[in-house]
Amino acid sequence: MATASSDKRDFVQFIGRLKETQTLLAVAQALSLRLEASEAMRRVAREVALAFGADMVGAYARDPAAVDALLPIAGYHVPARLRDWYRRTPFSVADSPAIEAAWRRRAPVWTSSAIDDADWIPAVRALPPHSALFAPTVAGQEVVGGLFLVWWSTGRAFAEQELGLVAGVASQVGLALENRALVRETSERLLEAEIVADVAKSVTTSLDLDTVLARVVERARELCRADLAFLGLPDPGGDALVLRHRAGARFEDYDTLRLERGRGVVGAVWTSGEAVRTADRLDDPRFAVDDAVRAEGLRGMLGVPIRSGGTVVGVLAVAMRVPRRFTDAEQRALGRVAEHAAIAIHNARLFAAERASRAEAEAAGRRFRALIENSEDGIMLRDALGRVEYASPAVCRMLGYDSDDLLGRTGRSLIHPEDVAVGDALFARVLAEPNTPQRAHIRYRTKDGGYRWFEGASTNLLHEPGVRAIVTNSRDITERKTAEEALRASETRYRTAARATSDAIWEWDLLGGGVEWNEGVQTLFGYAAADVAPTSAWWIERIHPEDHARVVSGLRAVIDGGGEIWSDEFRFRRADGSWADVMDRGYVVHDAAGRPVRMIGAMANVTEPRRLEAELRQSQKMEAVGRLAGGIAHDFNNLLTVISGRSELLLVRLRADDPMRRDVELIKRVGERAATLTRQLLAFSRKQVLQTRVVALEAIIADLEPMLQRLIGENIELVTAVAPEVGRIMADPAQIEQVVLNLVVNARDAMPAGGRVTIELADEDAQVVLAVKDSGSGIPPEVQARIFEPFFTTKEAGKGTGLGLAMVYGIVKQHGGSITVESAPGQGTTFRVCLPRVDALPEVEAEEATGRPARGSGTILLVEDENEVRDLAREILTGAGFEVLEAATPGEGLRAAERHPGGIDLIVTDVVMPEMSGRELAAQLLERRPGTKVLYISGYSEDAIEQHGVLDPGTTLLAKPFTPDDLRRTVATLLE
């Protein structure tokens, strides 16, 4: 029995050793086959499952990127529902104390219930209940992976013999994996060396960048055993990468795809400049999944930067369509391929730059030759002795020579004799100062023997390897020289004319804004040369504010509207602040394109002409009123003669207590007032008859002073200031008295609250000046302009006729003088009357007869065409005791004189009558009756009387209207 038990035990041990041997042999056989690592490990897992009766076996390898993590590489009999979980679930050694102990001791560990074992792997708790065993695979002294055995039931325990067998199998797997890794590493390095050498050869043998990069992509895919590879380069048109080269790709829209910085694996490499890899692109949270990733099915990926000169110039990437962790060795190998890609890109850029530079140089050469050959300027190359080495077509054309005629000659041989010294000095400067252009204007002889002006710039480039010559650029300026000479002559004439004229000549640069003036602007307006700014603003700001907008807008309208002529009249401020009336005219100069570029003009001071024109207009206006007054004087004075005469005769006949006497006296006074008004009108229009003589003006003022004092009142002080030895004037004393009276009254009215009136008298040049000043409120400028107009008054209704100053004006003008007014509001007024001085003694005025004229005797011929006047005169003369021969016309007067047998003592005749004038009538009568006295009567103005020959020296005139006493007294005086 003992023997039988011993034999049975031996048999069991034998069977165990046989099973262990068979298992190890099957594992060794699976590992010895040249299979991919995943397939070899799948077969190992199958043999282990069969040997130990396990329901599932998984083979794991250590994660190269994390030393304490295990990644699934193969499995056997993994349930379908768990396959996805299996592929995607690595194990962390640190999470399981049991696995960490097995890892550290290099020995198997097991558990009867994995989901309940706190020391077991937490990740397996998602699986159904099971028993499990883990055996680490060791290569040398390093754990490189492990085998996981799973039984889908709990309570499984393991004998030492099973654990030993599992440890042996794991050890054999580790050794085999180590050997396979060495073999794979060797083969991979050989493949890497071969691929890198092939890529390097492509880089050095081809300058076609696309060809080289296409080869790089193909070999990168082969090197990393990847499903596809691609290479991205920056898009020239923007900040994006374009996958220009691809190998193994399925996605059809790569040509339109633009990868932004940071987008996906490739974008991350481009942004960071570092290698980037992912085991599964779809599950990596760092990257978003787009249509291209889905369409291509990208999972495991590795990308490395392509650097050139420290700059990322592209990205080389490989990818798998299944999850995969690319190793450090693969990253390093792909990086070396990327380095060769960078060399290829750099070389291609250098080649492209060289080719572009060469093409640019050739194009520049062609452009330079075209420029030289077609330039209007002449180009000449000379050696250090001045001999011509090259002459451009323009030089030959301008001088008339062929190129062969000029080569070898010196430029000096063609210079005008008068310019040789200039040419020698120029050439000396050129030799002495390399690289510095030397310029001069020189005349050169043409082939036909003439000379033309050239403007040249010569530069010494003898030291420049590509030139080795003195380069001269020249152009024909003969026409310009001629034009400059003509311009200088024209400017000389212009300046002479500008100095000769009194106008302010100006020239305005419309583009630059500058304005040049001649000296006229200083002479006319009193500005110093330093005060005249050379800008249009200086001129514009001196235009009177009321004229400014009109002048500027009119000027702009001409300039902007394409006009040529502009003119305007406005007020311009003088240096002293006063205003001058100016007439400004300008001509706009346009360039060839029709644009206004300059404006030339002249500004004339028309202040005095405009003042004279204003005076002429005023004179003409007053003359018109005078003609009107003179026109009505005759008829009006005839009527007034009858009214005044008849009323006076009637008063003689009426008793003092007659009730009708009052009415007749009123008629007489109204007639006298009407006569005064007529005299004022005639005085204003300078048409009244003056009885002038040499008078002393100071005597007239002295006689008037008492009356003037009473006239102005006690609240106004009257002051007279007469210079010594004031000259005499030829004047009608009564009219001069009217002038003084009216001016003093005008001064009084300007000072209702009192003040001072000053009468000054002095000699100035050949004139006697009478000045009447007041301290009143002054006269506004707008009133001054109309102050001498008839019927113009600022007084309220009923306080003035508006004829006072008009009469003064007329009297002064009729005496050959002038009157001016100086006034400003609040500063009083001064009237200055200037009358011609005469060198004669004053005439003594004959005393007028006073009282009622005595009765006379004798015969008087009365000729008057107005019946009422003739009847009145006959009655007055008859009443005075004279015999009167009456006639209504000159013809009747001649016949009456012929019929009268006796003598005729006096002819009383109207001046202006039908048939003939009173002068002509008197002349005929005096031929027949010499010695007869003549008395003219007239209601016409002075001009009308002078036209009919009256007012000669010794002529006696009785002006209408006259009173009966005037007629009787005048007749008595003539017949004495």
Side-chain angles (χ1 to χ4, degrees), residues 92-123:
S92 175
V93 176
D95 292 342
S96 173
I99 302 300
E100 184 179 13
W103 192 281
R104 187 174 60 257
R105 294 196 307 268
R106 312 290 194 270
V109 294
W110 59 274
T111 180
S112 299
S113 179
I115 62 175
D116 298 325
D117 192 340
D119 292 338
W120 202 249
I121 302 170

mmCIF file of all heavy atoms in Angstrom, residues 92-123:
data_model
loop_
_atom_site.group_PDB
_atom_site.id
_atom_site.type_symbol
_atom_site.label_atom_id
_atom_site.label_comp_id
_atom_site.label_asym_id
_atom_site.label_seq_id
_atom_site.Cartn_x
_atom_site.Cartn_y
_atom_site.Cartn_z
ATOM 1 N N SER A 92 -3.487 50.934 -13.152
ATOM 2 C CA SER A 92 -2.466 51.692 -12.437
ATOM 3 C C SER A 92 -1.956 50.854 -11.292
ATOM 4 O O SER A 92 -2.733 50.391 -10.439
ATOM 5 C CB SER A 92 -3.049 53.007 -11.909
ATOM 6 O OG SER A 92 -2.098 53.681 -11.116
ATOM 7 N N VAL A 93 -0.659 50.594 -11.267
ATOM 8 C CA VAL A 93 -0.062 49.767 -10.224
ATOM 9 C C VAL A 93 -0.256 50.409 -8.852
ATOM 10 O O VAL A 93 -0.522 49.739 -7.859
ATOM 11 C CB VAL A 93 1.440 49.565 -10.533
ATOM 12 C CG1 VAL A 93 2.119 48.785 -9.411
ATOM 13 C CG2 VAL A 93 1.604 48.844 -11.853
ATOM 14 N N ALA A 94 -0.165 51.704 -8.802
ATOM 15 C CA ALA A 94 -0.263 52.382 -7.514
ATOM 16 C C ALA A 94 -1.649 52.290 -6.912
ATOM 17 O O ALA A 94 -1.808 52.465 -5.694
ATOM 18 C CB ALA A 94 0.134 53.858 -7.679
ATOM 19 N N ASP A 95 -2.686 52.009 -7.740
ATOM 20 C CA ASP A 95 -4.051 51.934 -7.216
ATOM 21 C C ASP A 95 -4.340 50.606 -6.509
ATOM 22 O O ASP A 95 -5.378 50.471 -5.859
ATOM 23 C CB ASP A 95 -5.059 52.128 -8.351
ATOM 24 C CG ASP A 95 -5.020 53.549 -8.898
ATOM 25 O OD1 ASP A 95 -4.485 54.433 -8.189
ATOM 26 O OD2 ASP A 95 -5.519 53.776 -10.031
ATOM 27 N N SER A 96 -3.472 49.599 -6.656
ATOM 28 C CA SER A 96 -3.742 48.262 -6.102
ATOM 29 C C SER A 96 -2.565 47.801 -5.253
ATOM 30 O O SER A 96 -1.478 47.525 -5.777
ATOM 31 C CB SER A 96 -3.987 47.258 -7.240
ATOM 32 O OG SER A 96 -4.091 45.955 -6.727
ATOM 33 N N PRO A 97 -2.746 47.706 -3.930
ATOM 34 C CA PRO A 97 -1.645 47.215 -3.079
ATOM 35 C C PRO A 97 -1.174 45.816 -3.467
ATOM 36 O O PRO A 97 0.020 45.515 -3.397
ATOM 37 C CB PRO A 97 -2.241 47.243 -1.676
ATOM 38 C CG PRO A 97 -3.324 48.304 -1.757
ATOM 39 C CD PRO A 97 -3.904 48.162 -3.128
ATOM 40 N N ALA A 98 -2.108 44.979 -3.887
ATOM 41 C CA ALA A 98 -1.731 43.601 -4.242
ATOM 42 C C ALA A 98 -0.857 43.603 -5.486
ATOM 43 O O ALA A 98 0.185 42.926 -5.527
ATOM 44 C CB ALA A 98 -2.996 42.766 -4.482
ATOM 45 N N ILE A 99 -1.243 44.336 -6.514
ATOM 46 C CA ILE A 99 -0.466 44.392 -7.752
ATOM 47 C C ILE A 99 0.874 45.047 -7.491
ATOM 48 O O ILE A 99 1.915 44.633 -8.016
ATOM 49 C CB ILE A 99 -1.237 45.150 -8.847
ATOM 50 C CG1 ILE A 99 -2.593 44.471 -9.114
ATOM 51 C CG2 ILE A 99 -0.429 45.222 -10.130
ATOM 52 C CD1 ILE A 99 -2.486 43.032 -9.564
ATOM 53 N N GLU A 100 0.875 46.089 -6.610
ATOM 54 C CA GLU A 100 2.128 46.772 -6.304
ATOM 55 C C GLU A 100 3.090 45.801 -5.596
ATOM 56 O O GLU A 100 4.308 45.822 -5.864
ATOM 57 C CB GLU A 100 1.842 47.976 -5.419
ATOM 58 C CG GLU A 100 3.092 48.802 -5.128
ATOM 59 C CD GLU A 100 2.787 50.012 -4.275
ATOM 60 O OE1 GLU A 100 1.672 50.085 -3.702
ATOM 61 O OE2 GLU A 100 3.671 50.893 -4.167
ATOM 62 N N ALA A 101 2.566 44.915 -4.729
ATOM 63 C CA ALA A 101 3.421 43.927 -4.039
ATOM 64 C C ALA A 101 3.984 42.934 -5.046
ATOM 65 O O ALA A 101 5.173 42.579 -4.998
ATOM 66 C CB ALA A 101 2.614 43.206 -2.962
ATOM 67 N N ALA A 102 3.163 42.447 -5.973
ATOM 68 C CA ALA A 102 3.637 41.517 -6.999
ATOM 69 C C ALA A 102 4.694 42.188 -7.865
ATOM 70 O O ALA A 102 5.697 41.563 -8.242
ATOM 71 C CB ALA A 102 2.464 41.056 -7.858
ATOM 72 N N TRP A 103 4.488 43.473 -8.174
ATOM 73 C CA TRP A 103 5.427 44.243 -9.010
ATOM 74 C C TRP A 103 6.773 44.353 -8.290
ATOM 75 O O TRP A 103 7.822 44.216 -8.911
ATOM 76 C CB TRP A 103 4.825 45.639 -9.258
ATOM 77 C CG TRP A 103 5.510 46.469 -10.319
ATOM 78 C CD1 TRP A 103 6.645 47.166 -10.175
ATOM 79 C CD2 TRP A 103 5.073 46.682 -11.641
ATOM 80 N NE1 TRP A 103 6.971 47.803 -11.333
ATOM 81 C CE2 TRP A 103 5.997 47.540 -12.268
ATOM 82 C CE3 TRP A 103 3.952 46.235 -12.373
ATOM 83 C CZ2 TRP A 103 5.854 47.950 -13.583
ATOM 84 C CZ3 TRP A 103 3.818 46.657 -13.677
ATOM 85 C CH2 TRP A 103 4.766 47.518 -14.285
ATOM 86 N N ARG A 104 6.674 44.586 -6.975
ATOM 87 C CA ARG A 104 7.900 44.795 -6.209
ATOM 88 C C ARG A 104 8.644 43.468 -5.982
ATOM 89 O O ARG A 104 9.870 43.420 -6.080
ATOM 90 C CB ARG A 104 7.537 45.437 -4.865
ATOM 91 C CG ARG A 104 8.750 45.848 -4.041
ATOM 92 C CD ARG A 104 8.332 46.608 -2.783
ATOM 93 N NE ARG A 104 7.472 45.834 -1.915
ATOM 94 C CZ ARG A 104 6.159 45.991 -1.818
ATOM 95 N NH1 ARG A 104 5.542 46.928 -2.511
ATOM 96 N NH2 ARG A 104 5.427 45.224 -1.006
ATOM 97 N N ARG A 105 7.890 42.313 -5.680
ATOM 98 C CA ARG A 105 8.530 41.037 -5.364
ATOM 99 C C ARG A 105 8.827 40.224 -6.608
ATOM 100 O O ARG A 105 9.479 39.198 -6.536
ATOM 101 C CB ARG A 105 7.609 40.215 -4.454
ATOM 102 C CG ARG A 105 7.409 40.850 -3.077
ATOM 103 C CD ARG A 105 6.830 39.814 -2.122
ATOM 104 N NE ARG A 105 5.646 39.169 -2.633
ATOM 105 C CZ ARG A 105 4.399 39.584 -2.413
ATOM 106 N NH1 ARG A 105 4.195 40.649 -1.667
ATOM 107 N NH2 ARG A 105 3.387 38.948 -2.930
ATOM 108 N N ARG A 106 8.306 40.672 -7.749
ATOM 109 C CA ARG A 106 8.451 39.936 -9.008
ATOM 110 C C ARG A 106 7.820 38.550 -8.863
ATOM 111 O O ARG A 106 8.309 37.547 -9.388
ATOM 112 C CB ARG A 106 9.920 39.749 -9.430
ATOM 113 C CG ARG A 106 10.795 41.006 -9.377
ATOM 114 C CD ARG A 106 10.404 42.009 -10.457
ATOM 115 N NE ARG A 106 11.408 43.046 -10.648
ATOM 116 C CZ ARG A 106 11.462 44.190 -10.018
ATOM 117 N NH1 ARG A 106 10.523 44.480 -9.117
ATOM 118 N NH2 ARG A 106 12.399 45.070 -10.259
ATOM 119 N N ALA A 107 6.636 38.450 -8.180
ATOM 120 C CA ALA A 107 5.982 37.160 -7.918
ATOM 121 C C ALA A 107 4.490 37.301 -8.133
ATOM 122 O O ALA A 107 3.930 38.385 -7.965
ATOM 123 C CB ALA A 107 6.258 36.710 -6.504
ATOM 124 N N PRO A 108 3.781 36.184 -8.492
ATOM 125 C CA PRO A 108 2.344 36.232 -8.758
ATOM 126 C C PRO A 108 1.564 36.520 -7.466
ATOM 127 O O PRO A 108 2.001 36.204 -6.358
ATOM 128 C CB PRO A 108 2.015 34.850 -9.292
ATOM 129 C CG PRO A 108 3.320 34.282 -9.735
ATOM 130 C CD PRO A 108 4.358 34.850 -8.834
ATOM 131 N N VAL A 109 0.350 37.149 -7.678
ATOM 132 C CA VAL A 109 -0.609 37.344 -6.588
ATOM 133 C C VAL A 109 -1.974 36.959 -7.132
ATOM 134 O O VAL A 109 -2.200 36.962 -8.346
ATOM 135 C CB VAL A 109 -0.614 38.808 -6.078
ATOM 136 C CG1 VAL A 109 0.712 39.171 -5.427
ATOM 137 C CG2 VAL A 109 -0.934 39.778 -7.208
ATOM 138 N N TRP A 110 -2.914 36.587 -6.177
ATOM 139 C CA TRP A 110 -4.243 36.189 -6.624
ATOM 140 C C TRP A 110 -5.271 36.619 -5.638
ATOM 141 O O TRP A 110 -4.976 37.010 -4.505
ATOM 142 C CB TRP A 110 -4.302 34.669 -6.872
ATOM 143 C CG TRP A 110 -3.952 33.863 -5.634
ATOM 144 C CD1 TRP A 110 -2.733 33.496 -5.215
ATOM 145 C CD2 TRP A 110 -4.884 33.363 -4.683
ATOM 146 N NE1 TRP A 110 -2.757 32.802 -4.051
ATOM 147 C CE2 TRP A 110 -4.110 32.699 -3.708
ATOM 148 C CE3 TRP A 110 -6.276 33.385 -4.554
ATOM 149 C CZ2 TRP A 110 -4.700 32.059 -2.601
ATOM 150 C CZ3 TRP A 110 -6.839 32.742 -3.469
ATOM 151 C CH2 TRP A 110 -6.055 32.113 -2.507
ATOM 152 N N THR A 111 -6.573 36.551 -6.029
ATOM 153 C CA THR A 111 -7.699 36.876 -5.178
ATOM 154 C C THR A 111 -8.852 35.992 -5.541
ATOM 155 O O THR A 111 -9.059 35.644 -6.721
ATOM 156 C CB THR A 111 -8.118 38.349 -5.315
ATOM 157 O OG1 THR A 111 -9.231 38.599 -4.455
ATOM 158 C CG2 THR A 111 -8.485 38.710 -6.735
ATOM 159 N N SER A 112 -9.600 35.532 -4.528
ATOM 160 C CA SER A 112 -10.751 34.663 -4.763
ATOM 161 C C SER A 112 -11.974 35.448 -5.193
ATOM 162 O O SER A 112 -12.910 34.881 -5.763
ATOM 163 C CB SER A 112 -11.071 33.850 -3.482
ATOM 164 O OG SER A 112 -9.981 33.037 -3.124
ATOM 165 N N SER A 113 -12.011 36.780 -4.879
ATOM 166 C CA SER A 113 -13.147 37.610 -5.290
ATOM 167 C C SER A 113 -12.592 39.019 -5.573
ATOM 168 O O SER A 113 -12.384 39.826 -4.646
ATOM 169 C CB SER A 113 -14.218 37.660 -4.195
ATOM 170 O OG SER A 113 -15.292 38.483 -4.598
ATOM 171 N N ALA A 114 -12.365 39.313 -6.837
ATOM 172 C CA ALA A 114 -11.682 40.562 -7.224
ATOM 173 C C ALA A 114 -12.514 41.799 -6.886
ATOM 174 O O ALA A 114 -11.970 42.839 -6.461
ATOM 175 C CB ALA A 114 -11.374 40.543 -8.718
ATOM 176 N N ILE A 115 -13.862 41.674 -7.029
ATOM 177 C CA ILE A 115 -14.662 42.876 -6.831
ATOM 178 C C ILE A 115 -14.840 43.206 -5.364
ATOM 179 O O ILE A 115 -15.228 44.320 -4.995
ATOM 180 C CB ILE A 115 -16.027 42.749 -7.524
ATOM 181 C CG1 ILE A 115 -16.822 41.599 -6.915
ATOM 182 C CG2 ILE A 115 -15.863 42.569 -9.029
ATOM 183 C CD1 ILE A 115 -18.245 41.492 -7.489
ATOM 184 N N ASP A 116 -14.546 42.196 -4.478
ATOM 185 C CA ASP A 116 -14.682 42.432 -3.049
ATOM 186 C C ASP A 116 -13.346 42.682 -2.368
ATOM 187 O O ASP A 116 -13.305 43.028 -1.176
ATOM 188 C CB ASP A 116 -15.368 41.228 -2.386
ATOM 189 C CG ASP A 116 -16.785 41.021 -2.925
ATOM 190 O OD1 ASP A 116 -17.437 42.069 -3.224
ATOM 191 O OD2 ASP A 116 -17.220 39.881 -3.055
ATOM 192 N N ASP A 117 -12.264 42.503 -3.101
ATOM 193 C CA ASP A 117 -10.924 42.609 -2.509
ATOM 194 C C ASP A 117 -10.495 44.077 -2.577
ATOM 195 O O ASP A 117 -10.312 44.648 -3.654
ATOM 196 C CB ASP A 117 -9.953 41.715 -3.274
ATOM 197 C CG ASP A 117 -8.627 41.557 -2.531
ATOM 198 O OD1 ASP A 117 -8.335 42.413 -1.671
ATOM 199 O OD2 ASP A 117 -7.890 40.610 -2.871
ATOM 200 N N ALA A 118 -10.336 44.679 -1.419
ATOM 201 C CA ALA A 118 -9.967 46.103 -1.360
ATOM 202 C C ALA A 118 -8.569 46.345 -1.892
ATOM 203 O O ALA A 118 -8.236 47.458 -2.305
ATOM 204 C CB ALA A 118 -10.075 46.613 0.078
ATOM 205 N N ASP A 119 -7.702 45.280 -1.839
ATOM 206 C CA ASP A 119 -6.321 45.459 -2.315
ATOM 207 C C ASP A 119 -6.196 45.232 -3.800
ATOM 208 O O ASP A 119 -5.098 45.378 -4.366
ATOM 209 C CB ASP A 119 -5.393 44.494 -1.562
ATOM 210 C CG ASP A 119 -5.263 44.849 -0.085
ATOM 211 O OD1 ASP A 119 -5.534 46.037 0.241
ATOM 212 O OD2 ASP A 119 -4.900 43.970 0.702
ATOM 213 N N TRP A 120 -7.301 44.844 -4.422
ATOM 214 C CA TRP A 120 -7.199 44.497 -5.856
ATOM 215 C C TRP A 120 -7.448 45.752 -6.708
ATOM 216 O O TRP A 120 -7.713 46.846 -6.209
ATOM 217 C CB TRP A 120 -8.196 43.379 -6.197
ATOM 218 C CG TRP A 120 -7.809 42.606 -7.448
ATOM 219 C CD1 TRP A 120 -8.434 42.604 -8.622
ATOM 220 C CD2 TRP A 120 -6.712 41.754 -7.573
ATOM 221 N NE1 TRP A 120 -7.811 41.795 -9.532
ATOM 222 C CE2 TRP A 120 -6.704 41.239 -8.895
ATOM 223 C CE3 TRP A 120 -5.682 41.306 -6.700
ATOM 224 C CZ2 TRP A 120 -5.765 40.336 -9.387
ATOM 225 C CZ3 TRP A 120 -4.751 40.410 -7.194
ATOM 226 C CH2 TRP A 120 -4.777 39.950 -8.525
ATOM 227 N N ILE A 121 -7.397 45.595 -7.975
ATOM 228 C CA ILE A 121 -7.481 46.724 -8.939
ATOM 229 C C ILE A 121 -8.896 47.304 -8.908
ATOM 230 O O ILE A 121 -9.863 46.586 -9.169
ATOM 231 C CB ILE A 121 -7.130 46.247 -10.345
ATOM 232 C CG1 ILE A 121 -5.723 45.640 -10.343
ATOM 233 C CG2 ILE A 121 -7.233 47.396 -11.358
ATOM 234 C CD1 ILE A 121 -5.377 44.928 -11.626
ATOM 235 N N PRO A 122 -9.049 48.609 -8.617
ATOM 236 C CA PRO A 122 -10.396 49.198 -8.549
ATOM 237 C C PRO A 122 -11.142 49.131 -9.878
ATOM 238 O O PRO A 122 -12.361 49.026 -9.886
ATOM 239 C CB PRO A 122 -10.126 50.646 -8.139
ATOM 240 C CG PRO A 122 -8.802 50.621 -7.462
ATOM 241 C CD PRO A 122 -8.005 49.567 -8.178
ATOM 242 N N ALA A 123 -10.448 49.171 -10.980
ATOM 243 C CA ALA A 123 -11.128 49.232 -12.275
ATOM 244 C C ALA A 123 -11.926 47.986 -12.580
ATOM 245 O O ALA A 123 -12.915 48.038 -13.312
ATOM 246 C CB ALA A 123 -10.098 49.476 -13.393
#
